[in-house]
Amino acid sequence: MSEAEYWQRQCTDAPDLRVVYRYKLANAVPLDGAASYAEIAVASGLREDLCRRFIRPAMGNRVFVEDPETQRVRYTASSRCLATDQSFADVVGLEIDDLGPASSKLIDPDSREISPGRDTSGSVTGHRSQVAGLTIPHHQT
């Protein structure tokens, strides 16, 4: 997979991984076996068709694996960590729920502070701009 394909995949996979995290789908699969989509739906509170819709793309990221004959979902190393390691789950939550959405708004094309061609360097030492709620100091040259 090329770098471009990797980054494109990260952007398009975020919604699937967000649902896996938010509905704790990894916790709905037994540690010592497999679960049907119906069983995952009951355990997670998410409709069965939505479980299937979001788990299958997550398999492309090696988050789960499905037995092709029984269509039962089993763990991979990633989904097992998500279900059993709270620190790992917290980091995933930070990335999915906090950093990901915030980073998409960090450089807003409509922002007057960082519009192309606009001089935002300021003449006062320590001049700062507000961008997406963050205070960004300007570099002095």
Side-chain angles (χ1 to χ4, degrees):
M1 177 182 309
S2 73
E3 287 297 312
E5 291 170 323
Y6 172 79
W7 286 108
Q8 179 183 20
R9 184 173 198 137
Q10 294 306 310
C11 293
T12 59
D13 290 341
D16 304 323
L17 297 176
R18 191 173 204 180
V19 170
V20 168
Y21 170 76
R22 179 76 53 89
Y23 286 91
K24 301 184 183 310
L25 299 182
N27 296 83
V29 177
L31 290 174
D32 58 349
S36 68
Y37 288 101
E39 293 166 336
I40 294 169
V42 169
S44 68
L46 190 64
R47 290 189 342 234
E48 181 178 347
D49 62 316
L50 295 176
C51 287
R52 188 181 308 273
R53 183 180 303 167
F54 291 109
I55 288 174
R56 283 195 168 153
M59 290 177 190
N61 284 320
R62 299 183 182 119
V63 175
F64 293 104
V65 66
E66 180 184 279
D67 183 315
E69 291 179 18
T70 64
Q71 294 188 344
R72 293 181 66 82
V73 178
R74 292 190 324 263
Y75 280 116
T76 61
S78 295
S79 53
R80 183 176 291 274
C81 277
L82 192 57
T84 61
D85 184 340
Q86 188 58 49
S87 294
F88 179 76
D90 290 344
V91 168
V92 169
L94 177 69
E95 289 281 339
I96 294 290
D97 280 344
D98 298 320
L99 298 178
S103 69
S104 71
K105 294 176 180 15
L106 182 61
I107 301 178
D108 185 348
D110 296 330
S111 174
R112 292 183 191 182
E113 294 295 328
I114 57 174
S115 295
R118 181 178 169 158
D119 179 11
T120 59
S121 62
S123 59
V124 179
T125 304
H127 179 76
R128 298 171 184 266
S129 293
Q130 288 286 324
V131 178
L134 301 173
T135 302
I136 301 175
H138 292 285
H139 296 285
Q140 300 294 319
T141 55

